Amino acid sequence: MTINLQVPSMVCEGCVAAVKDAIIAAEPSAKVEIDLATKKVAVESSSSEAAIKQIIIDVGHEVA
């Protein structure tokens, strides 16, 4: 299942790396694609959308 989220608080490549690393740490088999220009995060994972959102929130970012 692919989860598409909007993360408006990402402003740099460091933010992208932090979000991606946190998701991979929690869900090693997840495939994560992030477009900084549009602030979109696409996660292919067996985890729930709520779980992925919480991971992003836990690293200090907002999920729209």
Side-chain angles (χ1 to χ4, degrees):
M1 170 175 71
T2 301
I3 300 164
N4 293 297
L5 301 169
Q6 195 74 29
V7 185
S9 58
M10 290 189 306
V11 295
C12 65
E13 289 299 326
C15 296
V16 170
V19 169
K20 188 171 189 173
D21 290 349
I23 294 169
I24 296 296
E27 182 73 36
S29 62
K31 292 181 183 167
V32 182
E33 292 186 24
I34 300 177
D35 184 339
L36 181 58
T38 60
K39 301 182 188 295
K40 289 186 180 176
V41 177
V43 181
E44 191 173 316
S45 169
S46 58
S47 292
S48 69
E49 182 174 325
I52 299 298
K53 282 183 180 181
Q54 191 59 52
I55 292 166
I56 295 170
I57 291 166
D58 287 347
V59 294
H61 288 283
E62 302 169 7
V63 179

Coordinates of all heavy atoms in Angstrom, one line a residue:
M1 N 0.8 -1.2 0.0 CA 0.0 0.0 0.0 C 0.9 1.2 0.0 O 1.9 1.3 0.7 CB -0.9 0.0 1.3 CG -1.6 1.3 1.5 SD -2.8 1.2 2.9 CE -1.7 1.2 4.3
T2 N 0.5 2.2 -0.8 CA 1.3 3.5 -0.9 C 0.5 4.5 -0.1 O -0.7 4.7 -0.3 CB 1.5 3.9 -2.3 OG1 2.3 2.9 -3.0 CG2 2.3 5.2 -2.4
I3 N 1.2 5.2 0.8 CA 0.7 6.3 1.6 C 1.3 7.6 1.1 O 2.5 7.7 1.0 CB 1.0 6.0 3.1 CG1 0.4 4.7 3.6 CG2 0.5 7.2 3.9 CD1 1.0 4.2 4.8
N4 N 0.4 8.5 0.7 CA 0.9 9.8 0.3 C 0.5 10.9 1.3 O -0.7 11.0 1.7 CB 0.2 10.2 -1.1 CG 0.7 9.2 -2.2 OD1 1.8 9.2 -2.5 ND2 -0.3 8.4 -2.7
L5 N 1.5 11.6 1.7 CA 1.3 12.6 2.8 C 2.0 13.9 2.3 O 2.9 14.0 1.6 CB 2.0 12.2 4.1 CG 1.5 10.8 4.7 CD1 2.4 10.4 5.8 CD2 0.1 11.0 5.1
Q6 N 1.4 15.0 2.9 CA 1.9 16.3 2.6 C 2.6 16.8 3.9 O 2.0 16.7 5.0 CB 0.8 17.3 2.3 CG 1.2 18.6 1.7 CD 1.6 18.5 0.3 OE1 1.2 17.6 -0.4 NE2 2.5 19.4 -0.1
V7 N 3.9 17.1 3.8 CA 4.7 17.5 5.0 C 5.2 19.0 4.8 O 6.3 19.2 4.3 CB 5.8 16.5 5.3 CG1 6.6 16.9 6.6 CG2 5.3 15.1 5.4
P8 N 4.4 20.0 5.1 CA 4.7 21.4 4.8 C 5.9 21.9 5.5 O 6.5 22.9 5.1 CB 3.5 22.1 5.1 CG 2.7 21.3 6.0 CD 3.1 19.9 5.7
S9 N 6.3 21.3 6.6 CA 7.4 21.8 7.4 C 8.8 21.4 6.9 O 9.8 21.9 7.4 CB 7.3 21.3 8.9 OG 7.2 19.9 9.0
M10 N 8.9 20.6 5.9 CA 10.2 20.2 5.3 C 10.7 21.4 4.4 O 10.0 21.8 3.5 CB 10.1 19.0 4.4 CG 9.8 17.7 5.1 SD 10.0 16.2 4.0 CE 8.8 16.6 2.7
V11 N 11.9 21.9 4.8 CA 12.4 23.1 4.0 C 13.8 22.8 3.4 O 14.2 23.7 2.7 CB 12.4 24.3 4.9 CG1 11.0 24.7 5.3 CG2 13.3 24.1 6.1
C12 N 14.4 21.7 3.7 CA 15.8 21.5 3.2 C 16.0 20.0 3.0 O 15.3 19.2 3.5 CB 16.8 22.1 4.1 SG 16.9 21.3 5.7
E13 N 17.2 19.7 2.4 CA 17.6 18.3 2.3 C 17.8 17.6 3.6 O 17.6 16.4 3.7 CB 18.8 18.2 1.4 CG 18.5 18.5 -0.1 CD 17.5 17.6 -0.7 OE1 17.5 16.4 -0.4 OE2 16.8 18.1 -1.6
G14 N 18.2 18.3 4.6 CA 18.3 17.8 6.0 C 17.0 17.3 6.5 O 16.9 16.2 7.1
C15 N 15.9 18.0 6.2 CA 14.6 17.6 6.7 C 14.2 16.3 5.9 O 13.7 15.4 6.5 CB 13.6 18.7 6.3 SG 13.8 20.3 7.2
V16 N 14.5 16.3 4.6 CA 14.1 15.1 3.8 C 14.9 13.9 4.4 O 14.3 12.8 4.6 CB 14.5 15.4 2.4 CG1 14.4 14.1 1.6 CG2 13.7 16.4 1.7
A17 N 16.2 14.0 4.7 CA 16.9 12.9 5.2 C 16.4 12.5 6.6 O 16.3 11.3 6.8 CB 18.4 13.3 5.3
A18 N 16.0 13.4 7.4 CA 15.5 13.1 8.8 C 14.2 12.3 8.7 O 14.1 11.3 9.4 CB 15.3 14.3 9.6
V19 N 13.3 12.7 7.8 CA 12.0 12.0 7.6 C 12.3 10.7 7.1 O 11.7 9.7 7.6 CB 11.1 12.9 6.8 CG1 9.9 12.1 6.4 CG2 10.7 14.2 7.5
K20 N 13.1 10.6 6.0 CA 13.3 9.3 5.3 C 14.0 8.3 6.3 O 13.6 7.2 6.4 CB 14.2 9.5 4.1 CG 14.3 8.3 3.2 CD 15.0 8.6 1.9 CE 14.9 7.5 0.9 NZ 15.4 7.8 -0.4
D21 N 15.0 8.8 7.0 CA 15.8 7.9 7.9 C 14.9 7.4 9.0 O 15.0 6.2 9.4 CB 17.0 8.6 8.5 CG 18.1 8.9 7.5 OD1 18.0 8.3 6.4 OD2 19.0 9.7 7.8
A22 N 14.0 8.2 9.5 CA 13.1 7.8 10.6 C 12.1 6.8 10.1 O 11.8 5.8 10.9 CB 12.3 9.0 11.2
I23 N 11.6 6.9 8.9 CA 10.6 6.0 8.4 C 11.3 4.6 8.2 O 10.8 3.6 8.6 CB 10.0 6.5 7.1 CG1 9.1 7.7 7.4 CG2 9.1 5.4 6.4 CD1 8.6 8.4 6.2
I24 N 12.5 4.7 7.6 CA 13.3 3.4 7.3 C 13.7 2.7 8.6 O 13.7 1.5 8.7 CB 14.5 3.7 6.4 CG1 14.1 4.3 5.1 CG2 15.4 2.5 6.3 CD1 13.3 3.3 4.2
A25 N 14.0 3.5 9.6 CA 14.4 2.9 10.9 C 13.2 2.2 11.5 O 13.4 1.1 12.1 CB 14.9 4.0 11.9
A26 N 12.1 2.7 11.4 CA 10.9 2.1 12.0 C 10.3 1.0 11.1 O 9.7 0.0 11.6 CB 9.8 3.1 12.2
E27 N 10.5 1.1 9.8 CA 9.9 0.2 8.9 C 11.0 -0.1 7.8 O 11.0 0.5 6.7 CB 8.7 0.8 8.2 CG 8.0 -0.1 7.3 CD 7.2 -1.2 7.9 OE1 6.7 -1.1 9.0 OE2 7.2 -2.3 7.3
P28 N 12.0 -1.0 8.1 CA 13.1 -1.2 7.2 C 12.8 -1.6 5.8 O 13.5 -1.3 4.8 CB 13.9 -2.3 7.9 CG 13.5 -2.2 9.3 CD 12.1 -1.8 9.3
S29 N 11.6 -2.3 5.6 CA 11.2 -2.7 4.2 C 10.5 -1.6 3.4 O 10.1 -1.8 2.3 CB 10.4 -4.0 4.3 OG 9.2 -3.7 5.0
A30 N 10.2 -0.5 4.1 CA 9.5 0.6 3.4 C 10.3 1.2 2.3 O 11.5 1.3 2.3 CB 9.1 1.7 4.4
K31 N 9.5 1.6 1.2 CA 10.2 2.4 0.1 C 9.6 3.8 0.3 O 8.4 4.0 0.3 CB 9.8 1.8 -1.2 CG 10.3 0.4 -1.5 CD 10.0 -0.1 -2.8 CE 10.5 -1.5 -3.0 NZ 9.9 -2.2 -4.1
V32 N 10.6 4.8 0.4 CA 10.2 6.1 0.7 C 10.7 7.0 -0.5 O 11.9 7.0 -0.8 CB 10.9 6.6 2.0 CG1 10.4 8.0 2.3 CG2 10.5 5.7 3.1
E33 N 9.8 7.8 -1.0 CA 10.1 8.8 -2.0 C 9.6 10.2 -1.5 O 8.5 10.3 -1.1 CB 9.5 8.5 -3.4 CG 10.0 7.2 -4.0 CD 9.5 7.0 -5.4 OE1 9.0 8.0 -6.0 OE2 9.5 5.8 -5.8
I34 N 10.5 11.2 -1.5 CA 10.2 12.5 -1.0 C 10.5 13.5 -2.1 O 11.6 13.5 -2.6 CB 10.9 12.8 0.3 CG1 10.6 11.8 1.4 CG2 10.6 14.2 0.7 CD1 11.3 11.9 2.7
D35 N 9.6 14.4 -2.4 CA 9.8 15.5 -3.3 C 9.7 16.8 -2.5 O 8.7 17.2 -2.0 CB 8.6 15.5 -4.3 CG 8.8 16.6 -5.4 OD1 9.6 17.6 -5.2 OD2 8.3 16.5 -6.5
L36 N 10.9 17.3 -2.3 CA 11.0 18.5 -1.4 C 10.3 19.7 -2.0 O 9.7 20.5 -1.3 CB 12.5 18.9 -1.2 CG 12.8 20.1 -0.3 CD1 12.2 19.9 1.1 CD2 14.3 20.3 -0.2
A37 N 10.3 19.9 -3.4 CA 9.7 21.0 -4.0 C 8.2 21.0 -3.7 O 7.6 22.1 -3.5 CB 9.9 20.9 -5.5
T38 N 7.6 19.9 -3.7 CA 6.1 19.8 -3.5 C 5.8 19.4 -2.0 O 4.6 19.4 -1.6 CB 5.4 18.8 -4.4 OG1 6.0 17.5 -4.2 CG2 5.6 19.3 -5.9
K39 N 6.8 19.1 -1.3 CA 6.7 18.7 0.1 C 5.8 17.4 0.3 O 5.1 17.2 1.2 CB 6.2 19.8 1.0 CG 7.1 21.0 0.9 CD 6.6 22.1 1.8 CE 7.4 23.4 1.6 NZ 8.8 23.3 2.0
K40 N 5.9 16.5 -0.7 CA 5.1 15.3 -0.7 C 6.0 14.1 -0.3 O 7.2 14.0 -0.8 CB 4.5 15.0 -2.1 CG 3.4 16.0 -2.4 CD 2.7 15.7 -3.7 CE 1.6 16.7 -3.9 NZ 0.9 16.4 -5.2
V41 N 5.5 13.3 0.5 CA 6.1 12.0 1.0 C 5.2 10.9 0.5 O 4.1 10.8 0.9 CB 6.3 12.0 2.5 CG1 6.9 10.7 3.0 CG2 7.1 13.2 3.0
A42 N 5.8 9.9 -0.2 CA 5.1 8.7 -0.6 C 5.9 7.5 0.0 O 7.1 7.4 -0.2 CB 5.1 8.6 -2.2
V43 N 5.1 6.7 0.7 CA 5.7 5.6 1.5 C 5.0 4.3 1.1 O 3.7 4.2 1.2 CB 5.6 5.8 3.0 CG1 6.2 4.6 3.7 CG2 6.2 7.1 3.4
E44 N 5.7 3.4 0.5 CA 5.1 2.1 0.2 C 5.5 1.2 1.4 O 6.7 0.9 1.6 CB 5.7 1.5 -1.1 CG 5.0 0.3 -1.6 CD 5.5 -0.1 -2.9 OE1 5.7 0.8 -3.8 OE2 5.7 -1.3 -3.1
S45 N 4.5 0.8 2.2 CA 4.7 0.1 3.4 C 3.5 -0.7 3.8 O 2.4 -0.4 3.4 CB 5.0 1.1 4.5 OG 5.1 0.6 5.8
S46 N 3.7 -1.6 4.7 CA 2.6 -2.4 5.3 C 2.0 -1.7 6.5 O 1.0 -2.1 7.1 CB 3.0 -3.8 5.6 OG 4.1 -3.8 6.5
S47 N 2.7 -0.7 7.0 CA 2.3 0.1 8.2 C 1.1 0.9 7.8 O 0.8 1.3 6.7 CB 3.4 1.0 8.6 OG 4.5 0.3 9.2
S48 N 0.3 1.3 8.8 CA -0.8 2.2 8.6 C -0.4 3.6 8.4 O 0.7 4.0 8.7 CB -1.7 2.1 9.9 OG -1.1 2.8 11.0
E49 N -1.3 4.4 7.8 CA -1.1 5.8 7.6 C -0.8 6.5 8.9 O 0.0 7.4 9.0 CB -2.3 6.4 6.8 CG -2.0 7.9 6.5 CD -3.1 8.5 5.6 OE1 -3.7 7.7 4.7 OE2 -3.4 9.7 5.8
A50 N -1.6 6.1 9.9 CA -1.5 6.8 11.2 C -0.1 6.5 11.8 O 0.6 7.4 12.4 CB -2.5 6.3 12.2
A51 N 0.5 5.3 11.6 CA 1.8 5.0 12.1 C 2.9 5.8 11.4 O 3.8 6.3 12.0 CB 2.1 3.5 11.9
I52 N 2.8 6.0 10.1 CA 3.7 6.7 9.3 C 3.6 8.2 9.7 O 4.7 8.9 9.9 CB 3.5 6.6 7.8 CG1 3.7 5.1 7.4 CG2 4.4 7.5 7.0 CD1 5.1 4.5 7.6
K53 N 2.4 8.7 9.8 CA 2.3 10.1 10.3 C 3.0 10.3 11.6 O 3.6 11.3 11.8 CB 0.8 10.5 10.4 CG 0.1 10.8 9.1 CD -1.4 11.2 9.4 CE -2.1 11.5 8.1 NZ -3.5 11.9 8.3
Q54 N 2.8 9.4 12.5 CA 3.4 9.6 13.9 C 4.9 9.6 13.8 O 5.5 10.3 14.5 CB 2.9 8.5 14.8 CG 3.2 8.7 16.3 CD 2.7 10.0 16.8 OE1 1.5 10.3 16.7 NE2 3.5 10.9 17.4
I55 N 5.5 8.8 13.0 CA 6.9 8.7 12.8 C 7.4 10.1 12.3 O 8.4 10.7 12.9 CB 7.4 7.7 11.8 CG1 7.1 6.3 12.3 CG2 8.8 7.8 11.4 CD1 7.1 5.2 11.3
I56 N 6.7 10.7 11.4 CA 7.1 12.0 10.9 C 6.9 13.1 12.0 O 7.8 13.9 12.1 CB 6.3 12.4 9.6 CG1 6.6 11.4 8.5 CG2 6.5 13.8 9.1 CD1 5.7 11.4 7.3
I57 N 5.8 13.0 12.7 CA 5.6 14.0 13.8 C 6.7 13.8 14.9 O 7.2 14.8 15.4 CB 4.2 13.8 14.4 CG1 3.1 14.2 13.4 CG2 4.0 14.5 15.7 CD1 1.7 13.8 13.7
D58 N 7.1 12.6 15.1 CA 8.1 12.3 16.2 C 9.5 12.9 15.8 O 10.3 13.2 16.7 CB 8.2 10.8 16.4 CG 7.0 10.3 17.2 OD1 6.2 11.0 17.7 OD2 6.9 9.0 17.2
V59 N 9.7 13.1 14.5 CA 11.0 13.8 14.2 C 10.9 15.3 14.1 O 11.8 16.0 13.6 CB 11.7 13.2 12.9 CG1 12.1 11.8 13.2 CG2 10.8 13.3 11.7
G60 N 9.7 15.8 14.4 CA 9.5 17.2 14.5 C 8.9 17.9 13.3 O 9.0 19.1 13.2
H61 N 8.2 17.2 12.5 CA 7.6 17.8 11.3 C 6.1 17.7 11.4 O 5.5 16.8 12.1 CB 8.1 17.1 10.0 CG 9.5 17.5 9.7 ND1 9.8 18.7 9.2 CD2 10.7 16.8 9.9 CE1 11.1 18.8 9.1 NE2 11.7 17.7 9.5
E62 N 5.4 18.5 10.7 CA 4.0 18.6 10.6 C 3.5 17.8 9.4 O 4.1 17.8 8.4 CB 3.5 20.0 10.4 CG 3.9 21.0 11.5 CD 3.6 22.4 11.0 OE1 2.9 22.7 10.0 OE2 4.1 23.3 11.7
V63 N 2.3 17.1 9.6 CA 1.7 16.4 8.5 C 0.4 17.1 8.2 O -0.4 17.2 9.1 CB 1.5 14.9 8.8 CG1 0.8 14.2 7.6 CG2 2.8 14.2 9.1
A64 N 0.2 17.5 7.0 CA -1.0 18.2 6.6 C -2.2 17.3 6.4 O -1.9 16.1 6.0 CB -0.8 19.1 5.4

